[in-house]
């Protein structure tokens, strides 16, 4: 959608919301009493959260480490998409393997649970496509460790939970524009307010268009979001919302740069090097709708019904490069030895998620306790198709030196080798969670979730049949040591179905993630900041690992079979201080340090030690002036790429790709010109550090060099 059309919509909504009849007729109590997800995090300290229990308790009272990136931090450091947000925390490693496909990990495990307003399903193939625009969201919460009681199936790493923006009672009008390096142009509007005593609305529009430091790569993203809530009375609220997000990229990477020559020496390309064809593209169109109904059954009990609908349509034409002969590898003298690989890939997925629960408090044994009971149903269906060109020669062209490649390779005819899949997944759950007040300062947070995961269909000629169920427990204790300090411990689980089969051709039982955590949470600086210090121990149980080969009882053909074994485990510590650190200083300081056992390769390429600092300082000499710094340090990582072949003098030598330790520094400065107008400047990677984004795959590409942006924000 052209931005001119977005602007017209914004002006129309603005004219409606600024009618004088609304300014003095809002009865705040009629709506605010039952707003269940409208908390604003204007500073850096996390407050109440539902991400771990749906009880709405304080982050300090939750027996798991929780990080929150709120609206203030998003604005301070111009975090326009989710990758930017997560790159500004020590909680999550962002594995940017390609330009438009991203993996996340935490505590040594893949993060595959991303929820929106508390609902979500495990990511297909554990990755996201395109960019998630932050204009739609107020904040991002990250609960670390297993979170199966709230997510059902998933990984024991962490859960990322995004909260959509909701309507406000007070009129709010915000327009911003950003211009930056590589011809970046971003426009955003956010208009919210009450239309009548019982009806509120909000409209968010954004367009983000940019070239890139990478040759041939560019992106263009448009977002439209509208949401209404209606209060039937002081106890009942219904909210409707819908968003359309279109993300188009050209010259996108599929795979990335070969990182070593045949003799094992490391390649060192220019930072802008791109292996994509000039016709490469990846278009992601996403439609999201939701209904959220809340009703106060009594002063102590609430009913909530939620439905989320997601439809995603992806179309891509991709170009990959691979070693023509793995023994020869990339010729260290000529740089030759790569073949191109073209493919058209399309995927459509449909997600429907329902959740219903009651929550409230009750008295027993002379004390007040809290309870949540609910059930949910979710379905994820997807169809994907891959096509190739085997007949013209354009589908697998011989590549020149990467340094000489300009993307000028003939466009293939994508009509060959039709393959793909059609898969249906359903998750049915019932859950119960309670927080018992055992004694003064001592609380037990416990619960369980019955979860059934069913899959049917076929993917790339392999059946995808699963039917697993499991009861997932949750157990946590918090104890108030002093008014400021709370100690906690917890044991949590999650599980994932597995498609591998054993020697008897039975499906391997689900993979279970078991997480133990002990820590303290403490109020600092008169309660303006929260300290979290945690020790954790996570284990994978029942991981399917290759065992042997056995004849398929249907086809008679020998295939790989598997056995159940212990998987990866990780142990470590995390530390975070978030909030107002002094009268003039706000921010977050986070540290992560852990070790991985069970897989040397995963341990080698995973960032296990990192420090992230995001601070903003408001000098007292001039009102409205602020300075900020975001600094992230991560340890050195490496990847074993195999051994040098017999064709070279150093045959048998291990090929190791190293990424030395990295310190990335971003700076910001902003000035409130008046109460309506603000100017901001952001400088990223100011030391111009050259480093690889990830070593999770055998290929990789470089992170952006030094770049800048300037933003003008008008608010009413």
């Amino acid at each position: 959608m052209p931005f001119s059309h977005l602007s017209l919509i914004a002006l129309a909504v603005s004219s409606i919301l600024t009618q004088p009849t609304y300014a003095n007729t809002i009865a705040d109590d009629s709506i605010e009493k039952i707003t269940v997800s409208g908390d604003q995090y204007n500073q850096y300290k996390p407050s109440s959260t539902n991400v771990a229990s749906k009880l709405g308790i304080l982050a300090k009272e939750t027996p798991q480490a929780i990080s929150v990136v709120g609206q203030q931090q998003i604005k301070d450091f111009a975090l326009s998409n989710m990758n930017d947000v997560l790159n500004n925390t020590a909680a999550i490693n962002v594995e940017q393997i390609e330009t438009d496909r991203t993996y996340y990990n935490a505590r040594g495990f893949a993060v595959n649970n991303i929820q929106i307003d508390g609902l979500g399903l495990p990511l297909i193939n554990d990755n996201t496509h395109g960019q998630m625009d932050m204009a739609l969201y107020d904040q991002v919460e990250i609960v670390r460790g297993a979170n199966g009681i709230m997510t059902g199936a998933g990984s024991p790493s962490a859960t990322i939970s995004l909260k959509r923006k909701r309507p406000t009672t007070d009129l709010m009008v915000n327009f911003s524009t950003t211009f930056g390096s590589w011809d970046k142009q971003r426009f955003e509007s956010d208009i919210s307010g009450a239309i009548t005593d019982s009806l509120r609305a909000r409209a968010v529009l954004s367009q983000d268009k940019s070239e890139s430091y990478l040759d041939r790569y560019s992106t263009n993203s448009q977002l439209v979001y509208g949401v209404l809530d209606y209060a039937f009375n002081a106890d009942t609220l219904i909210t409707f919302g819908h968003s359309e997000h279109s993300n188009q990229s050209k010259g996108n990477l599929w795979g990335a740069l070969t990182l070593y020559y045949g003799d094992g020496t490391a390649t060192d390309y220019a930072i802008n090097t791109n292996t994509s064809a000039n016709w490469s593209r990846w278009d992601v169109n996403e439609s999201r709708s939701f209904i959220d109904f809340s009703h106060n059954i009594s002063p102590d009990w609430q009913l909530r019904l939620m439905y989320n609908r997601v439809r995603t349509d992806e179309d891509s034409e991709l170009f990959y490069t691979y070693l023509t002969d793995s023994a020869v590898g990339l010729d260290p003298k000529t740089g030759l030895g790569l073949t191109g690989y073209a493919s058209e890939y399309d995927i459509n997925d449909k997600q429907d998620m329902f959740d219903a629960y009651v929550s409230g408090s009750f008295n027993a044994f002379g004390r007040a306790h809290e309870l949540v009971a609910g059930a949910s149903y979710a379905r994820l269906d997807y169809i994907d198709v891959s096509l190739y060109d085997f007949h013209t020669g354009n589908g697998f062209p011989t590549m020149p030196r990467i340094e000489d490649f300009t993307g000028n390779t003939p466009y293939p005819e994508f009509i060959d080798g039709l393959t793909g899949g059609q898969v249906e997944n359903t998750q049915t759950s019932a859950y119960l969670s309670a927080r018992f007040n055992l004694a003064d300062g001592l609380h037990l947070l416990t619960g369980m979730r019955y979860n059934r995961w069913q899959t049917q269909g076929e993917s790339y000629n392999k059946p995808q049949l699963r039917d697993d169920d499991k009861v997932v427990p949750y157990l946590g204790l918090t104890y108030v040591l002093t008014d400021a300090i709370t100690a906690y411990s917890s044991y949590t689980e999650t599980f994932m179905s597995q498609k591998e089969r054993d020697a008897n051709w039975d499906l391997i039982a689900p993979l279970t993630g078991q997480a133990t955590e002990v820590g303290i949470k403490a109020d600092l600086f008169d309660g303006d900041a929260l300290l979290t210090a945690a020790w954790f121990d996570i284990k994978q149980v029942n991981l399917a690992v290759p065992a042997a080969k056995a004849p398929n009882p249907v086809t008679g053909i020998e295939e790989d079979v598997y056995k159940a074994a212990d998987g990866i485990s990780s142990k470590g510590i995390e530390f975070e201080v978030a909030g107002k650190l002094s009268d003039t200083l706000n921010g977050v300081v986070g540290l992560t340090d852990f070790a991985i056992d069970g897989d040397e390769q995963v341990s080698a390429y995973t960032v296990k030690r990192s420090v992230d600092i995001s601070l903003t300082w408001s000098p007292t000499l001039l009102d409205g002036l602020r300075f900020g710094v975001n600094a992230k340090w991560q340890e050195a990582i490496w990847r074993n790429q195999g051994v040098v072949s017999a064709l070279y003098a150093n045959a048998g030598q291990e090929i190791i790709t190293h990424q030395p330790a990295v310190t990335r520094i971003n700076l910001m400065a902003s000035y409130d010109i008046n109460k309506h107008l603000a100017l901001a400047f952001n400088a990223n990677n100011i030391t111009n550090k050259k480093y690889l984004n990830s070593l999770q795959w055998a290929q990789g590409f470089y992170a952006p060099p030094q770049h800048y942006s300037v933003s003008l924000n008008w608010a009413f």
Side-chain angles (χ1 to χ4, degrees):
M1 180 180 291
F3 190 76
S4 59
H5 294 176
L6 303 186
S7 300
L8 290 174
I9 297 172
L11 291 173
V13 175
S14 177
S15 65
I16 293 172
L17 294 178
T18 53
Q19 293 297 312
T21 55
Y22 309 134
N24 300 310
T25 60
I26 301 301
D28 289 347
D29 291 343
S30 68
I31 298 177
E32 298 295 344
K33 180 177 178 181
I34 51 168
T35 298
V36 293
S37 58
D39 291 341
Q40 300 293 323
Y41 290 78
N42 293 322
Q43 300 298 323
Y44 285 68
K45 181 186 176 183
S47 185
S48 61
T49 177
N50 276 327
V51 69
S53 66
K54 291 190 176 178
L55 290 169
I57 59 179
L58 294 175
K60 183 182 175 183
E61 298 170 343
T62 303
Q64 286 181 263
I66 295 175
S67 297
V68 176
V69 180
Q71 196 61 214
Q72 191 65 52
Q73 188 174 353
I74 290 170
K75 290 180 178 178
D76 285 341
F77 294 99
L79 310 178
S80 60
N81 60 68
M82 191 169 74
N83 283 357
D84 290 341
V85 168
L86 298 178
N87 263 320
N88 275 257
T89 75
I92 303 289
N93 289 328
V94 178
E95 302 289 352
Q96 192 78 38
I97 296 168
E98 304 163 314
T99 51
D100 289 70
R101 181 162 48 176
T102 308
Y103 296 77
Y104 308 105
N105 66 62
R107 296 184 172 181
F109 302 90
V111 176
N112 56 18
N113 271 317
I114 297 179
Q115 297 188 335
I116 296 178
D117 291 339
L119 294 180
L121 283 165
L123 297 171
I124 300 173
N125 299 320
D126 291 349
N127 58 64
T128 63
H129 299 172
Q131 300 284 358
M132 295 186 70
D133 196 301
M134 288 308 300
L136 182 57
Y137 305 104
D138 256 333
Q139 65 188 29
V140 179
E141 298 178 349
I142 303 162
V143 58
R144 317 203 194 174
N147 191 27
I149 194 170
M150 289 295 102
T151 61
S155 163
S157 55
T159 300
I160 300 168
S161 181
L162 298 93
K163 284 193 174 183
R164 290 185 183 96
K165 292 178 177 177
R166 296 296 182 97
T168 59
T169 298
D170 295 331
L171 176 64
M172 181 194 72
V173 181
N174 191 302
F175 294 96
S176 66
T177 182
T178 301
F179 296 94
S181 301
W182 311 304
D183 199 26
K184 178 180 176 63
Q185 302 171 46
R186 180 176 175 84
F187 304 94
E188 187 175 330
S189 66
D190 186 355
I191 305 167
S192 181
I195 298 174
T196 68
D197 287 357
S198 54
L199 183 65
R200 300 186 299 185
R202 190 165 187 168
V204 176
L205 314 169
S206 75
Q207 176 161 314
D208 196 319
K209 184 177 182 181
S210 181
E211 298 297 319
S212 172
Y213 69 99
L214 293 173
D215 292 339
R216 301 181 295 283
Y217 183 57
S218 63
T219 58
N220 190 357
S221 170
Q222 302 91 32
L223 170 71
V224 179
Y225 170 57
V227 58
L228 291 167
D229 66 24
Y230 179 75
F232 292 93
N233 50 50
D235 291 313
T236 307
L237 178 71
I238 189 168
T239 304
F240 302 89
H242 180 78
S243 65
E244 295 282 344
H245 185 212
S246 175
N247 191 101
Q248 303 100 25
S249 67
K250 295 181 179 180
N252 52 281
L253 283 165
W254 183 35
L257 304 173
T258 300
L259 301 177
Y260 57 94
Y261 293 103
D263 64 357
T265 57
T267 57
D268 185 16
Y269 299 108
I271 202 167
N272 62 326
T273 305
N274 188 348
T275 61
S276 73
N278 50 19
W279 44 259
S280 298
R281 65 179 181 88
W282 197 327
D283 300 336
V284 181
N285 297 295
E286 183 182 75
S287 173
R288 291 183 178 269
S289 305
F290 74 95
I291 302 172
D292 189 347
F293 175 83
S294 299
H295 174 67
N296 290 331
I297 301 170
S298 71
D300 297 322
W301 286 89
Q302 184 185 77
L303 168 69
R304 192 169 183 186
L305 308 175
M306 302 173 67
Y307 167 64
N308 271 7
R309 176 185 185 272
V310 184
R311 298 292 185 267
T312 305
D313 180 7
E314 299 186 33
D315 300 297
S316 63
E317 294 175 330
L318 308 170
F319 191 76
Y320 179 77
T321 60
Y322 66 94
L323 293 170
T324 308
D325 185 334
S326 58
V328 176
L330 199 62
D331 191 305
K333 295 180 180 179
T334 66
L336 299 176
L338 291 175
T339 297
Y341 174 12
S343 173
E344 178 181 336
Y345 179 72
D346 304 325
I347 180 170
N348 296 321
D349 74 67
K350 301 177 181 180
Q351 300 181 44
D352 293 279
M353 293 161 278
F354 302 85
D355 190 40
Y357 67 91
V358 292
S359 61
S361 60
F362 65 95
N363 291 312
F365 310 108
R367 294 182 179 274
H369 315 279
E370 298 158 283
L371 180 71
V372 171
S376 66
Y377 172 84
R379 178 163 176 163
L380 165 62
D381 300 343
Y382 70 87
I383 300 173
D384 61 344
V385 174
S386 291
L387 287 164
Y388 310 92
D389 180 350
F390 298 132
H391 66 284
T392 69
N394 296 337
F396 297 86
T398 299
M399 296 290 292
R401 290 190 337 138
I402 288 297
E403 294 90 336
D404 300 330
F405 183 55
T406 62
N408 188 22
T409 185
Y411 181 73
E413 294 181 0
F414 293 118
I415 59 174
D416 300 328
L418 175 64
T419 186
Q422 183 169 351
V423 180
E424 299 175 357
N425 299 282
T426 58
Q427 178 175 260
T428 308
S429 307
Y431 55 89
L432 183 68
S433 180
R435 185 170 182 257
F436 294 103
N437 185 356
L438 302 180
D440 291 347
L442 179 63
H443 289 85
L444 171 66
L445 182 60
T446 187
M448 63 181 63
R449 180 188 187 106
Y450 168 77
N451 207 79
R452 185 179 184 187
W453 185 272
Q454 297 170 287
T455 301
Q456 60 182 359
E458 186 176 277
S459 180
Y460 292 86
N461 301 317
K462 291 186 177 181
Q464 304 289 306
L465 299 174
R466 284 169 284 182
D467 189 348
D468 296 307
D469 60 355
K470 184 176 176 61
V471 175
V472 180
Y474 187 105
L475 184 65
L477 277 172
T478 61
Y479 181 64
V480 178
L481 300 174
T482 69
D483 289 342
I485 302 174
T486 297
Y488 73 89
S489 63
S490 61
Y491 173 81
T492 58
E493 285 189 7
T494 189
F495 87 104
M496 286 289 290
S497 289
Q498 302 184 98
K499 60 181 180 293
E500 292 80 8
R501 294 180 178 272
D502 62 19
N504 297 319
W505 224 252
D506 295 323
L507 285 167
I508 300 288
L511 170 65
T512 299
Q514 303 173 344
T516 302
E517 184 171 325
V518 177
I520 62 167
K521 299 186 180 185
D523 289 322
L524 303 179
F525 310 112
D526 296 324
D528 289 333
L530 180 66
L531 160 71
T532 302
W535 172 87
F536 61 87
D537 183 355
I538 303 177
K539 295 181 175 66
Q540 282 183 327
V541 179
N542 217 54
L543 176 67
V545 298
K549 286 184 177 292
N552 186 313
V554 177
T555 66
I557 299 173
E558 281 206 338
E559 297 182 20
D560 291 329
V561 293
Y562 296 78
K563 64 179 180 180
D566 290 340
I568 293 172
S569 63
S570 72
K571 293 181 182 180
I573 59 170
E574 292 170 333
F575 172 91
E576 183 179 272
V577 176
K580 187 175 180 182
L581 309 180
S582 75
D583 289 340
T584 58
L585 192 65
N586 276 276
V588 181
V589 177
L591 175 149
T592 297
D593 187 346
F594 62 92
I596 295 175
D597 291 322
D599 192 314
E600 292 184 4
Q601 183 79 303
V602 171
S603 179
Y605 66 64
T606 300
V607 175
K608 301 177 292 298
R609 297 173 185 85
S610 64
V611 178
D612 189 274
I613 301 171
S614 295
L615 298 173
T616 60
W617 174 59
S618 303
T620 56
L621 297 177
L622 184 60
D623 288 342
L625 181 64
R626 297 204 308 156
F627 299 100
V629 59
N630 168 255
K632 185 161 190 170
W633 172 88
Q634 64 182 46
E635 67 171 343
I637 53 176
W638 57 278
R639 183 181 183 91
N640 189 324
Q641 306 276 22
V643 298
V644 177
S645 76
L647 299 177
Y648 294 92
N650 58 335
Q653 178 180 315
E654 287 189 331
I655 303 172
I656 304 295
T657 299
H658 292 277
Q659 171 54 64
V662 175
T663 300
R664 185 209 64 213
I665 301 174
N666 302 332
L667 299 177
M668 63 78 63
S670 65
Y671 179 61
D672 296 335
I673 300 170
N674 55 45
K675 64 179 182 179
H676 298 299
L677 197 62
L679 183 67
F681 176 75
N682 290 85
N684 297 311
N685 193 10
I686 63 167
T687 61
N688 213 27
K689 182 74 173 179
K690 182 181 179 181
Y691 61 96
L692 292 164
N693 282 301
S694 174
L695 289 180
Q696 185 165 314
W697 284 6
Q699 299 176 328
F701 74 108
Y702 301 108
Q706 188 179 85
H707 56 289
Y708 307 90
S709 66
V710 60
S711 303
L712 187 66
N713 185 80
W714 182 82
F716 175 80

